[in-house]
Amino acid sequence: MGGLVIKKACILARHDPSHQDLASRFHSIYFLATPHRGADSAQLLNRVIKASMTSSGRDYINDLIPNSGAIQAINDDFRHIVQNLQLWSFYESVKTNLGVSQALIVEKDSAILGLPEERVQLLNADHRHVCKFKDPLDSNYITLRNAFVSTIDHIQRDWLAATQDQYNSTMKALAGYLVQGDLPDNDLANLLDRQLDGTCQWLTDDTEFKYWRAGDEGTPKLLWLNGKPATGKSTLAAHVVRQFYDCNLDCSYFFFKHGDKSKSSVASMLRSFAYQMASTNPHIRSEILAMHDNGVLIDADDERPLWRSVFLSRIFRTDFHQPYFWVIDALDECADFTCFLPMLAKIDKNIPLRVFMTSRPSPVIQTLLLQEKLLVSTKQVTVESSYHDIRCILEASTRFLPIDDPVACESLIAKILRKSNGCFLWVALVLKELETTHSEQQIQEVLDSVPSEMDSLYTRILDNMAMIPRNKKLAQAILRWTVCAVRPLRVEELKEAIRLDLDEVVPRLERTVETVCGHLVHIDRNSRVQIIHQTVRAFLTQDGLLSDFAIDRLREHSRLAEVCLQYLCSDELKSSRYRRRGSATRAARRSVFAEYATVYFSEHVVRSSSSNDNQIATLSSFFHTNILSWIEIVAEGGDLFFLTQTAKNLKAYMERRAKYKSPLGQQVHAISSWIQDLIYIVTTFGRPLLTSPPSIHFLIPPVCPRNSIIYRQYHEYPRCLEIVGQCELEWDDRLSCISLREFQVLAIACRDNRFVIGLSDGRIVLYHTSTCQEAGQLIHGMEAVRFLEFGSANVLLASGGRQTIALWDTTSGTKLWAVDITERLLALGFNEDDTILMATTIANRTLFWSVEDGQELENFFVSDQTEDESSTYKRPPSHAQLCGELNLLAVCYRQRPINIWDLEDRSFVGQFHKSAANVYPGPLLVAMVFNPNPDVNLAAASYQDGDLVIFDPWNQKQHAMVEANAHILAASSDGATLATGDGSGTVQIFDFETLRLLYRSTVNDFDIRAITFASNNVRFFDIRHDHCNVWEPSAIVRQTATGDGSSEYCSEAVLGDAETIEPQLLDDSQAITAMVSDGSDCLLCGKESGSIVLFEAKTGRQMQELYKHTANAAILLLEWNDRAAILASVDRASRIIVRKISSKGSDMRVVEQPLIDQSIGQAIRQVLFHSSGTMLLVSTSSFDQVWKTDGHQLAVRTTSSRQSWQWIDYSSSNQRLLLAVDGQFKWFDWKTLEERTLSTYSPVSLEDGDYPPVVNMKISSQGSVVCAHFREPPGGQGMARLRLWSASTPTAPAQDPISKHITNFDRIAKEVKTVIGFHKLLLLFLDQSGWICSISVEKTTTKKAYTRHFFIPYGWHCSGELIFAITAKGAIGLARKNGIAVFHRGLDFEDRVILDMDGEVAMSQTEPHWSSPVLENHIDSPRSGHQWDHR
């Protein structure tokens, strides 16, 4: 009966619109003996129901009579709704015992619907037992279970078919974003392959392990398994992972390996965990994908920002529906494991995370566990616990030995067990040797001679290897590359390395590598050649090892560096400047060794001997020949980290070498210059280099500073981009200056990919960290914004003023809550997990609010601990500093010591006295900052007497002191560097711990109000007066540690002198303020001084001053008419001058008397010539005027005040003007300024009165094509738009001269920074990344596409007004400082991006070439298959 009810419910749900969502979720229905056509024994059934329910019959039983109206109606309706439903019908086959008789309650033909795709199965049961089962082995249970499994599989297949492509694409993006090196899947598979059935069970069967896994209350969340080397800990960890998977538990795992750079740091483990958790949890996946899509950078080496921004701020805020397990193997092989346990200690106890970790017995780990008060269950791998597993291995292996007697075999097993001492590795090596025996006597000889200690066993193996002289060199090379390689080499890579190393070809290396090396080396399932255990590496590299196979690390790394550089200098990497083949073709013919040599050669250089002069020569040769090809290969990999890492490694090597060798010489100077240039190439050209790797050959060298080695070495290559005029001589560390003009900048904060500044008018402006592009605005209120603090991620932002504190969600721009305050703020900050917002006020109070709802929590008072407690007067503090990472608060009172408070228990920690204790008055504190790295435990304080002091806030001991005269302090998030600013505009960068000066730059500017570092710890920002400076000094990049233990090879490094940058003094009066092409090869420019000057585009030099406005009245607008050879210039005083300018020779101009010289009285926003040059339009915010160029005024049109508008000259086609205003286009007569009755038309879809402002409009020289760029409205409400359309002459008054066939480029409109103008049939624009791009306006164009040509350095376009001009020959001029920079041959380079029908990027085809038309080369990825074809 229930089946009939379900059918009726489905029918009702499908027919009721309010239940359509529910109906769409029905997938399968299982009918168990349902009487679809009724039951012949309805009356009998009624009696059965009476008997079973001890009650009267039911009226609805009558509906079960065959062919009843109710049944027929249900069946008829149901057959119309069964589409997309899976139907299963099961019928009974055993008669039901009714007491006096037996019968089938529902016959087979009634239990079957008879519909298409219906699945019918028999159940060996009567009607009462079709859904009752004895046990899981019941055949009926199995039948139903299999049906359920089939349905679930079908659902999964459907889901995967619909989502697999998207899932794969997402995980591929996240793999590139998070993972460096291989995923741990291969390590797990290798370990499980070696595990025998029945082994490792002792651990998972252990009661303590089961309690830990179950997570019972009071059970520690951390289980630490420790044991001696080679006792099977890694296999046990793999076994634990497999059991979790078998039990359908969520698990992530990581296997540390010393010597493998990608598997020896906490940061690598955390990135891997984040990827694994994202792969199984859709909520985590979406959070991290949002980070990826928003451009949030993840530091590859620093685990703390990774932990804070990915785990604390995102992953741990996800709802976990079941416990999550982390399995960590060989924690002691992690180079920086001491920072991991404090992280675990700070995880919220409500997060259901449990950690299983293995290591050798370690007093350091034990001490850390006690210090962090981590509850831990500890298990040891004992000899006894290993015996069972070793016996399993021996029983499986002895059958391959020449021994048949079971008693002798058991005796052999017992003897090996006794000597093994629980060491699996010892057993494995002994078994390898026993495999070479042929008799029981030989077996006994081996067992008697094999030592039981591992070192003695290794010595014996090396001695045996030395007895085969012909294999000696090969064995040495294999061990050299296996022990010293930065990551394990694949077999094919090792073959090529040996070929370069020994000049020998080993075609079947995979068959010989183990036997040649005495089984100390093995090949895993992924064809990677590895040492069998880390104890082998430790043994071979120990000091004093007397063996031909001993590894001297300095010597061997020198050899590996030489081989890598030998390859990098080879002809294989050489690139012809005239090549026609694409980079994909070149990559196909590269050696398999190319990737390793390219990425890791510098790791071997930094670990090699500094006394090797041959290495200097080889490095010099590399930088002189194939350096650009090497950069291109690295960029093709999509990660420029290796360029920076190479520069840091080589810098460390050269500084160490300088202790023993003279730093003079041409080769040394060239290498040092390239080290500097590599860092600047990444910071200055990183984005365009990743977009187009081949640009390193043709586009980057010409835009580098003239004194850089890359420019001097490569700028004169044939057919390169050429730049003349105002160019840099040296690299500029100040990338940008963002000016806010009338408003004071009072606060700044940065986190991940966002930085924000607070203004005096109450606005908060958000910017992208990488591009400095404005991302939106928030309105704090009517008061100045004096405090800004981000949470652990860039989602939460706190702002503070004199009267209000507000909390914001920066992703949506929403104000979450705000509170009023009555006391002046001194400090603002979040706690470590962003659950509490904290503030310290001048009234000695520290306030706390819940981030979730703004509810004020319990606050506490602080005081000067040197003050008399009985005094009723409490002096106000002068400074306060909060540190959520350390949970500390520092408060200082005028000329008093610094008081330190613990925020966790609100207790007083102590006082720091710069001078002697209890001596008052002390020096006046002017700034203070905590080091945010908990591993450092330091703070910095600056005093009025000029001293900068480093001290420990916990014990108040002073560590270092220098004179710095700093008024502002800021620390990088990794705690490595300290930035200071003073009142004269000087920025200094120090090593935080030692106060060694790294960098100093003086800008003759206003005093510095605040400094903050970007998340990459390299870029930083300072605010002064009305602007913000963006810095990225190379000195900070070089300061970063090389990582992975390479410091042990750099211990003898000498410290270089601090880099000092002197200010470049410029005459502001000579700055270019306006520019226009004169239709030839010259550019007319207006200056801040009021001068109009002529520049030659060919050379970029100033040729002649033409005339001058009033002194110091800056020229704001220039308009040139080529037909009449007249120039209109407008200055800041609203004076307009029109003069005729004629040529006199090739480089001189004759300027005639003014045709017009008028002061308009209002700020002029636009001037526009009639195409004939006989009329001039002058436009202000409240009126427009038309003048004849002989000085007579023709017409005036007044209008209401307007903010955004632009006029376009249409006189070449219809003698009219086109006005774009309020999102609409209107037509006017040139002579009368009367509006025409032509239909008003808007080329954009306007909704809800949203009229986007017109940023720029351009019309082609022939007047045939018009472009309009509409900027995205402030706050992100609305879309940016870019539209092109053809203009035509109207033939009737009502005809619209704008074609309705508009080309929509809205997809890229947001990326358009400014529209430059038309050159022939190309519309040129600058995108946000600095690329000069074009859109073809040819009528024959069938594909919607745009083309990238060349890029402008970041510092040239990131701030201020962009002033461009295009010459008749296609050269592009850009105003720069006191001159112009002119780009020649830039349009010859083409990298086409094709858009699909919706404006999305469909593909990129990269074809720099020298002739038209463009040859299409469709490729799959925007960064693959670049083809630079010089014709």
Side-chain angles (χ1 to χ4, degrees), residues 575-579 586 628 632 692-703 714-715 717-722 1350-1351 1389 1408 1410 1427-1430:
S575 174
S576 169
R577 299 295 293 182
Y578 301 95
R579 67 186 183 210
R586 296 190 302 277
L628 297 188
E632 179 186 4
S692 179
S695 63
I696 189 63
H697 296 280
F698 307 100
L699 304 181
I700 289 179
V703 296
Y714 291 108
H715 82 282
Y717 273 23
R719 306 295 289 173
C720 251
L721 174 71
E722 180 185 7
F1350 65 94
F1351 58 85
F1389 296 87
W1410 308 106
Q1427 182 171 335
W1428 294 81
D1429 189 1
H1430 294 193

Side-chain angles (χ1 to χ4, degrees), residues 557-775:
H557 277 296
S558 294
R559 180 58 183 161
L560 267 59
E562 181 183 346
V563 173
C564 291
L565 287 168
Q566 175 187 338
Y567 170 77
L568 294 177
C569 294
S570 67
D571 292 343
E572 186 176 305
L573 261 67
K574 286 186 179 178
S575 174
S576 169
R577 299 295 293 182
Y578 301 95
R579 67 186 183 210
R580 294 176 182 267
R581 290 186 296 269
S583 59
T585 305
R586 296 190 302 277
R589 58 183 176 84
R590 289 185 193 131
S591 165
V592 293
F593 186 63
E595 188 267 342
Y596 184 88
T598 299
V599 171
Y600 296 116
F601 84 92
S602 69
E603 299 289 347
H604 296 298
V605 172
V606 76
R607 291 163 168 79
S608 63
S609 171
S610 57
S611 61
N612 190 345
D613 289 333
N614 292 334
Q615 192 154 277
I616 291 294
T618 309
L619 277 171
S620 177
S621 174
F622 164 61
F623 282 122
H624 187 70
T625 54
N626 294 339
I627 178 64
L628 297 188
S629 296
W630 172 74
I631 294 173
E632 179 186 4
I633 294 171
V634 173
E636 286 172 355
D639 191 352
L640 300 184
F641 163 78
F642 298 110
L643 295 185
T644 303
Q645 188 64 40
T646 296
K648 290 188 286 188
N649 287 340
L650 296 182
K651 176 71 174 178
Y653 172 78
M654 296 301 289
E655 287 181 345
R656 188 175 80 245
R657 185 180 185 277
K659 186 174 181 179
Y660 304 101
K661 301 279 186 176
S662 170
L664 303 178
Q666 185 175 355
Q667 290 180 336
V668 172
H669 177 71
I671 294 171
S672 300
S673 298
W674 270 110
I675 292 170
Q676 173 177 273
D677 281 13
L678 284 178
I679 295 173
Y680 279 111
I681 287 170
V682 174
T683 58
T684 309
F685 306 116
R687 293 187 70 185
L689 185 56
L690 289 173
T691 301
S692 179
S695 63
I696 189 63
H697 296 280
F698 307 100
L699 304 181
I700 289 179
V703 296
C704 292
R706 296 300 189 251
N707 292 337
S708 66
I709 192 169
I710 185 174
Y711 177 86
R712 290 185 281 112
Q713 196 165 311
Y714 291 108
H715 82 282
E716 290 184 345
Y717 273 23
R719 306 295 289 173
C720 251
L721 174 71
E722 180 185 7
I723 306 174
V724 297
Q726 187 74 28
C727 298
E728 304 290 351
L729 295 178
E730 305 290 347
W731 293 105
D732 191 356
D733 291 324
R734 184 167 69 164
L735 301 181
S736 175
C737 177
I738 302 171
S739 177
L740 279 300
R741 299 189 178 175
E742 305 128 13
F743 305 102
Q744 297 285 304
V745 184
L746 302 177
I748 187 168
C750 182
R751 181 76 75 200
D752 296 335
N753 64 330
R754 292 283 189 274
F755 74 95
V756 294
I757 56 177
L759 303 181
S760 55
D761 66 343
R763 284 183 298 145
I764 303 169
V765 188
L766 291 80
Y767 296 90
H768 292 281
T769 302
S770 57
T771 65
C772 294
Q773 175 188 354
E774 184 176 332

Side-chain angles (χ1 to χ4, degrees), residues 1270-1288:
F1270 300 83
R1271 175 173 293 160
E1272 181 180 10
Q1277 301 299 318
M1279 285 179 52
R1281 299 171 174 92
L1282 182 66
R1283 303 291 171 89
L1284 279 79
W1285 68 91
S1286 298
S1288 60

Side-chain angles (χ1 to χ4, degrees), residues 796-816:
L796 294 177
L797 173 70
S799 60
R802 296 282 191 189
Q803 300 174 338
T804 306
I805 292 176
L807 185 69
W808 304 84
D809 181 337
T810 58
T811 57
S812 62
T814 305
K815 182 185 289 187
L816 301 177

Side-chain angles (χ1 to χ4, degrees), residues 113 211 248 322 329 428 447 762 851 859 959 1052 1075 1078 1102:
L113 286 164
Y211 282 147
N248 199 30
Q322 65 175 351
D329 178 56
L447 290 179
V851 166
N859 56 68
H959 283 229
E1052 299 178 346
M1075 179 168 58
D1078 71 347
Q1102 181 176 324

Side-chain angles (χ1 to χ4, degrees), residues 952-1013:
D952 187 325
W954 294 104
N955 60 26
Q956 299 86 53
K957 291 184 178 179
Q958 182 173 307
H959 283 229
M961 183 172 68
V962 297
E963 184 176 355
N965 296 305
H967 297 167
I968 295 296
L969 299 178
S972 60
S973 61
D974 62 357
T977 50
L978 173 69
T980 72
D982 64 19
S984 64
T986 298
V987 174
Q988 299 182 97
I989 303 294
F990 296 88
D991 177 90
F992 201 113
E993 297 188 48
T994 65
L995 286 183
R996 179 170 69 93
L997 182 64
L998 305 174
Y999 175 84
R1000 177 189 289 118
S1001 177
T1002 301
V1003 177
N1004 291 332
D1005 208 339
F1006 299 93
D1007 64 306
I1008 301 172
R1009 286 182 174 146
I1011 298 174
T1012 189
F1013 278 87

